[in-house]
Each structure stands twice: as structure tokens, then as C-alpha cells.
Amino acid sequence: MTQGEFQDIFDVEHFITSLRGEVRILRELPPRMKQRVEVGMFHSMPPISWSDISYYHNQILPLIQKHKVLHLNRTDARLANNGLPLDIQKLRCRVNYASLKFTPQIEELGRQVIRILRKNGPFLVLHLRYEMDMLAFSGCTEGCTREEADELTRMRYAYPWWKEKVIDSYVKRKDGFCPLTPEEIALVLRALEIDRSMQIYIAAGEIYGGKRRMASLTSAYPNVVRKETLLEPSDLRFFQNHSSQMAALDYLVSLESDIFVPTYDGNMAKVVEGHRRFMGFKKTILLDRKIIIDLVDRYKSGSLPWDEFSKLVKSVHANRMGSASRRTVIPDKPKEEDYFYANPQECLRDPNLLRAL
């Protein structure tokens, strides 16, 4: 994220002052260093993913001392989930939950959306990852027409940095690696006995396939809303074509929802999950997509009656509601273990909750 992108989303002054006792943050480089950067005299590199403190002490610090300006051109997942000093883990939480505040405009608009929703009763936020770019990237085409599947394939080949090109959608879906479709999530919410009158707030961009793909969900839940339907166009005019600001708005609404349901485990879904744990284990339904796909297909084929389908969906998710749990640690396989930000157990306000586990 560039400086411009950061200040479009976050309150920079709050970020700097809130961390003053921990980290010295500069708004811009001193003149001589700035000149060096402008003529390309700086070192740029991606830190190794999932690294511990010794890597930064032994590898990164000497590079800073040598080059004076070091550009880390990758920042996601560059720090290990586990095995770090407690004060570092707590600092990560402090940054995420206290220092990173959205701009006043985003915060105010978020409060406005939440007020409108609260006025009409409880609401569930559905993080429905069913945008065109997500489907093209993942290669998931369940329920798409042949023309749509071809369009998604063309988009995937158009982006050279998307490494995986040939994808078997059928196998990927069966293995639980596809985002759930709007039709599938409609069945799951009904099976979980989510009240039909519940407001369903869609936290997402434009749903691929539009009204046709949303028909099952809007039929099962008539109170489906999104920021564009709750706010006036004038409220959103400064956010249009700024996907990160729109996502920040969805993030604020997701935090405050009565129930949060992600249909895919991307970064935002994981960070919202962890933030809601930090806020006191607010209900977050963590769907087991592989089991859900098997149950949905059996139900749709007629081999599983509705009552049995609903019973099984509920039993599978009885202990997947975002309650207190310890992170799963898998030595040497950090991508497969629980993500720190999805379960920041070191930062829980009541550590006794974990002692019994």
C-alpha cells in the first residue's frame, strides 16, 4: 500500500501519535534520503514470508544499516503466526485494533449505515465473495453459464501475475476451495434456521451474474440490503471507484453485526473474525465448505431429506461460531496453520477463557 492509498483509508495522525511510544513513524524522509530515493538509490526486496524475530534482527536490520533506505515491497504474511515474543504479539493487536482507525469520513458513514440497520432490528453480514475477479482468479464456475465460464477464463489468462491458469472447477469445489455461491449460502442460512425476517447485509462488490444469481437468496431472505441501497448516492459519491474505501465501510459494518458469515476465507474475512473475537467473541459462523458442498449436492440430488440436511449443517457448525479456541500450530507449514489475525489469542481481554481449553 502506498502512502497515498494509506491516507485515503486510515487516519494518519492518529496512527502516528498512538504508536509514538513504540515506533518512530515519519511522514516523509529527510531531504538527503528523499533525494536518494527519487533517483532510485535505495534497496527494494520482499521479506521472507512467515519469518521470526531473528530473521529481522540478522537479515533485515543489517540491510537498513547498509542502505539507509529499505523498501519492503511485500508486507502480507511476512511475520510468523507463532513463536514470537509476547510484547510483539500484543503490539500487533494494538496496531490492528487501536492504532489503525479509518478516516473520519469512513467512520461516520459506517456509523450511519449501522444506525439505519439497527433501527430495523438485528442484522447478519454476509461476506459474499462472488465478484467477477474472485471467480476468475479461483477458477470456480459452479452455476455459471458456458459464456460466463469462458469470460472468467479469459480474464484469468489476461492477468500474468495470476499463476494458476488451468483449473478444474468441479474438483476445486468438491475439495472446499471455492467461495460458496449465493444459491449454496441461501440453503445454508435456511438450514441454520436464520430467521427469514433477518436483515442480510451483503459485504461485497458487484455480484457476478447479478439478480439471476441472487434470486435464491433474496427469495429466502427478503430483507437483503447493501450499502448502495441503504445510503443516498450522494453519500457514496466520494467512495465510488475506490474499492478499498468501500471495503473499509463493509469492514466497520461487519464488526458491528449480530452475526458475521464469510463465504470464503480471504484476508478480510480472517481479520474480521479475529477482531470480533477480540471484541468479546461476537458470533461468527465459520463455514466448513468441503462438508457443506457434499451435503448440498446430496440434498439437491434428492438423497438427503431437508430435515436431515438441516440437522447435519447445524451439527457440523455447532463449534464453529467464533468462540474461544487456541490457534492450531503446524510447525514448518505456516500457510496451513491458523492465522494470527484470525485468532489473536495473546490479546484476549479475559485470558481465563483459554485456560480451560
Side-chain angles (χ1 to χ4, degrees):
M1 182 179 288
T2 66
Q3 182 183 349
E5 289 170 333
F6 187 89
Q7 66 190 22
D8 287 344
I9 303 166
F10 296 109
D11 184 330
V12 175
E13 193 59 41
H14 175 78
F15 183 70
I16 292 172
T17 55
S18 67
L19 290 170
R20 190 162 282 158
E22 301 280 358
V23 184
R24 187 183 174 206
I25 301 170
L26 303 179
R27 286 184 174 276
E28 60 179 4
L29 291 171
R32 287 182 62 186
M33 287 188 177
K34 194 174 181 181
Q35 288 171 0
R36 288 168 61 94
V37 170
E38 286 169 352
V39 297
M41 292 178 62
F42 65 94
H43 188 65
S44 183
M45 62 167 287
I48 295 173
S49 299
W50 315 110
S51 295
D52 61 15
I53 295 300
S54 65
Y55 168 76
Y56 286 92
H57 278 164
N58 301 331
Q59 304 290 324
I60 300 297
L61 185 57
L63 289 174
I64 296 172
Q65 292 165 336
K66 177 182 177 182
H67 298 284
K68 307 306 178 191
V69 177
L70 182 63
H71 174 222
L72 303 180
N73 56 24
R74 293 282 187 278
T75 55
D76 58 316
R78 303 296 138 170
L79 200 56
N81 292 311
N82 303 290
L84 300 179
L86 184 59
D87 60 336
I88 294 294
Q89 300 289 57
K90 286 183 175 289
L91 179 59
R92 295 171 87 174
C93 292
R94 186 172 157 195
V95 170
N96 242 36
Y97 309 135
S99 299
L100 284 173
K101 270 182 65 178
F102 294 122
T103 63
Q105 296 93 328
I106 295 173
E107 292 273 346
E108 177 50 41
L109 207 52
R111 285 192 291 269
Q112 190 176 332
V113 173
I114 292 160
R115 278 196 301 269
I116 294 168
L117 289 163
R118 282 268 170 256
K119 189 173 67 178
N120 295 318
F123 66 97
L124 176 153
V125 167
L126 185 61
H127 189 225
L128 186 59
R129 292 309 317 272
Y130 213 75
E131 302 95 344
M132 184 179 182
D133 59 346
M134 167 54 72
L135 298 181
F137 173 76
S138 63
C140 297
T141 58
E142 176 70 15
C144 293
T145 65
R146 179 62 184 267
E147 291 75 17
E148 287 171 337
D150 289 345
E151 181 181 41
L152 294 171
T153 300
R154 287 195 299 273
M155 185 179 187
R156 186 163 64 254
Y157 276 86
Y159 289 91
W161 52 89
W162 289 355
K163 302 301 182 190
E164 197 176 6
K165 302 299 183 185
V166 180
I167 299 173
D168 187 326
S169 175
Y170 177 83
V171 171
K172 196 164 186 178
R173 176 177 173 270
K174 283 289 190 182
D175 288 340
F177 294 131
C178 283
L180 294 178
T181 68
E183 297 88 351
E184 289 161 353
I185 196 64
L187 287 172
V188 170
L189 295 181
R190 284 178 54 212
L192 291 169
E193 296 187 351
I194 300 297
D195 195 291
R196 177 174 162 79
S197 65
M198 174 78 80
Q199 295 175 96
I200 308 290
Y201 176 94
I202 304 297
E206 185 177 350
I207 302 303
Y208 191 60
K211 288 183 179 180
R212 176 180 70 84
R213 298 306 303 271
M214 290 293 286
S216 296
L217 186 60
T218 53
S219 173
Y221 293 93
N223 296 323
V224 170
V225 297
R226 45 192 306 143
K227 50 193 171 291
E228 293 87 351
T229 62
L230 295 174
L231 297 169
E232 297 295 329
S234 58
D235 293 324
L236 286 168
R237 69 181 182 275
F238 295 116
F239 295 77
Q240 296 296 349
N241 303 318
H242 294 280
S243 58
S244 295
Q245 293 177 343
M246 296 290 248
L249 193 56
D250 283 342
Y251 186 95
L252 288 172
V253 180
S254 298
L255 285 187
E256 294 300 324
S257 62
D258 296 279
I259 307 172
F260 177 67
V261 183
T263 60
Y264 195 64
D265 51 2
N267 285 340
M268 177 168 157
K270 289 177 180 176
V271 176
V272 170
E273 175 194 343
H275 203 155
R276 286 172 65 87
R277 287 178 190 272
F278 178 77
M279 292 168 71
F281 302 103
K282 301 181 78 173
K283 189 172 183 179
T284 301
I285 304 177
L286 305 169
L287 301 174
D288 187 321
R289 292 189 303 279
K290 186 173 183 179
I291 293 179
I292 283 172
I293 292 307
D294 177 59
L295 294 176
V296 164
D297 287 351
R298 286 165 59 195
Y299 167 69
K300 287 170 71 176
S301 72
S303 65
L304 189 64
W306 174 260
D307 287 350
E308 188 65 17
F309 171 74
S310 178
K311 180 182 172 184
L312 287 169
V313 170
K314 282 187 277 193
S315 66
V316 164
H317 296 95
N319 294 317
R320 297 176 65 90
M321 297 287 177
S323 55
S325 64
R326 291 193 179 277
R327 277 199 309 275
T328 301
V329 180
I330 306 176
D332 303 322
K333 291 186 178 179
K335 284 186 75 171
E336 296 177 27
E337 67 185 9
D338 288 344
Y339 188 41
F340 171 82
Y341 290 110
N343 186 3
Q345 63 191 37
E346 294 87 343
C347 309
L348 300 182
R349 291 169 182 179
D350 183 0
N352 293 320
L353 288 167
L354 284 177
R355 288 189 185 129
L357 297 175

